[in-house]
Amino acid sequence: FLSLVAEFCCGFFVILILGNFWFLAVLYLLWLYLDWGTPCAGGRRSQWVRSWTVWKYFREYFPIHLIKTSELNPNHNYLLGFHPHGVLVAGAFGNFCTDPPFKNLFPGLTPYLHIMPIWFGCPFFREYIMSAGMVSASKESVSYVLNNKGGGHASVIVIGGAEESLNARPGNLTLNILKRKGFIKMALKHGAHLVPVFSFGENELFKQVANPKGSWLRNVQEKLQKIMGFALPLFHARGVFQYSFGLIPYRQPIHTVVGSPIPVKQNLNPTTEEIDQLHALYLQKLKKLFEEHKSNYGIPAHKSLIFE
């Protein structure tokens, strides 16, 4: 969905350049230059955009639900680790970039969904995603959000990233997380409490062309991901008037469960051992969250998360 909107915005920009409105394109490029750092400085959210009626229908299509398991004190800042990535990341967008799900359950907290910096280089599209509350996933951006002295900020990071999207298919419970410890270091440096979040149903929205590790398709996808910064999963789902093939996601319920916070004491210079200890605790809490709720959302008792 984001890719389609981005392509439309880029196409519109090209039309401005090639048409009689090239001066508008020049003015926008000047604005882009002056505003380049905004995605790393909290963005520019719009309550009007986040409250569009279309998002209500978007959430109801699947439907998307946000489940609260514990209070989050707005006097603290939080780093929410979102799992799994899936193809669409619908749960993250529906719950953290539209109102009112999050603000009703966690009053006093402002969520910021961190996405790949490359998206903010797309003309016009960057204005839209910032208005929805998305900001860059760069270290600078995460630090800006978590450095709020009064608390009340929540950085939402999709931990598995683009690489994990290549595993997104129905029934898959594999998370790319064992080597991903940068978010742990950021939490320690800013004293931000860690909160595991698991989105049940996220991987059920699309089917993906078989791409086991070591296959030629997977090798090509991984090479492209390293070059471009984002993955290209070959996925399909349903059409508008039929259910056999298309790019519209299946109507599968998504239940995004927000776990209990893990208190983190600020440590400006954490050691590797301290990072590893907190990382291990986070994995333990994430697995516990999954096990406690999996039976509610159709996961067989014998299935568990796989960390790689």
Side-chain angles (χ1 to χ4, degrees):
F1 175 73
L2 287 180
S3 297
L4 291 175
V5 178
E7 289 175 9
F8 173 81
C9 292
C10 289
F12 179 70
F13 185 71
V14 171
I15 291 174
L16 288 181
I17 295 176
L18 299 179
N20 295 325
F21 301 98
W22 59 267
F23 61 95
L24 293 178
V26 172
L27 288 176
Y28 183 80
L29 286 175
L30 177 60
W31 161 256
L32 191 64
Y33 173 78
L34 296 174
D35 194 57
W36 190 255
T38 301
C40 294
R44 186 169 45 249
R45 69 178 53 223
S46 165
Q47 191 60 43
W48 175 65
V49 172
R50 289 174 59 89
S51 301
W52 281 352
T53 303
V54 67
W55 303 137
K56 174 178 178 291
Y57 294 117
F58 173 80
R59 294 191 302 268
E60 291 178 350
Y61 171 79
F62 298 96
I64 296 174
H65 304 281
L66 186 65
I67 292 86
K68 174 182 179 179
T69 64
S70 178
E71 294 291 338
L72 297 183
N73 190 331
N75 293 325
H76 298 296
N77 292 318
Y78 298 88
L79 195 158
L80 278 62
F82 184 92
H83 312 269
H85 185 286
V87 172
L88 189 65
V89 205
F93 178 81
N95 287 311
F96 304 116
C97 295
T98 72
D99 286 331
F102 188 84
K103 74 175 185 179
N104 281 355
L105 289 181
F106 302 100
L109 281 181
T110 302
Y112 296 82
L113 179 60
H114 296 269
I115 64 175
M116 292 181 295
I118 190 173
W119 292 113
F120 296 97
C122 181
F124 301 115
F125 180 67
R126 68 189 298 275
E127 318 304 335
Y128 159 68
I129 56 178
M130 278 197 288
S131 66
M134 296 183 227
V135 291
S136 172
S138 66
K139 292 180 180 179
E140 178 187 357
S141 177
V142 177
S143 292
Y144 184 94
V145 173
L146 297 181
N147 201 36
N148 188 41
K149 301 302 181 184
H153 281 188
S155 278
V156 183
I157 301 178
V158 185
I159 305 300
E163 183 181 356
E164 193 173 272
S165 69
L166 297 177
N167 290 325
R169 52 176 46 85
N172 185 275
L173 294 173
T174 301
L175 303 181
N176 292 63
I177 192 172
L178 291 182
K179 296 180 180 180
R180 296 179 181 268
K181 301 179 182 180
F183 73 104
I184 298 291
K185 187 174 183 179
M186 294 300 292
L188 282 166
K189 282 191 171 184
H190 295 280
H193 296 349
L194 281 167
V195 181
V197 178
F198 195 87
S199 195
F200 292 90
E202 199 74 45
N203 280 341
E204 317 307 312
L205 305 185
F206 295 94
K207 294 179 180 178
Q208 190 171 168
V209 175
N211 60 342
K213 289 190 175 181
S215 65
W216 69 268
L217 177 57
R218 187 59 168 259
N219 290 336
V220 170
Q221 289 174 320
E222 290 177 346
K223 288 179 180 179
L224 289 175
Q225 189 257 321
K226 290 180 180 179
I227 295 172
M228 300 184 298
F230 57 91
L232 292 173
L234 297 180
F235 59 90
H236 61 90
R238 54 162 290 185
V240 178
F241 301 111
Q242 45 77 30
Y243 296 87
S244 58
F245 189 82
L247 295 180
I248 297 176
Y250 293 116
R251 297 192 70 176
Q252 295 290 337
I254 298 172
H255 294 86
T256 303
V257 184
V258 180
S260 301
I262 303 170
V264 177
K265 185 177 180 181
Q266 187 174 26
N267 183 347
L268 296 177
N269 296 292
T271 64
T272 301
E273 182 180 1
E274 290 169 331
I275 293 173
D276 289 343
Q277 288 177 350
L278 184 55
H279 186 261
L281 177 59
Y282 178 86
L283 294 183
Q284 176 186 330
K285 296 294 184 180
L286 174 59
K287 188 170 185 178
K288 180 181 178 183
L289 177 70
F290 175 82
E291 293 295 331
E292 288 178 346
H293 293 273
K294 68 180 183 181
S295 62
N296 297 331
Y297 308 116
I299 306 295
H302 68 278
K303 286 200 170 185
S304 297
L305 291 179
I306 299 173
F307 300 141
E308 65 174 27

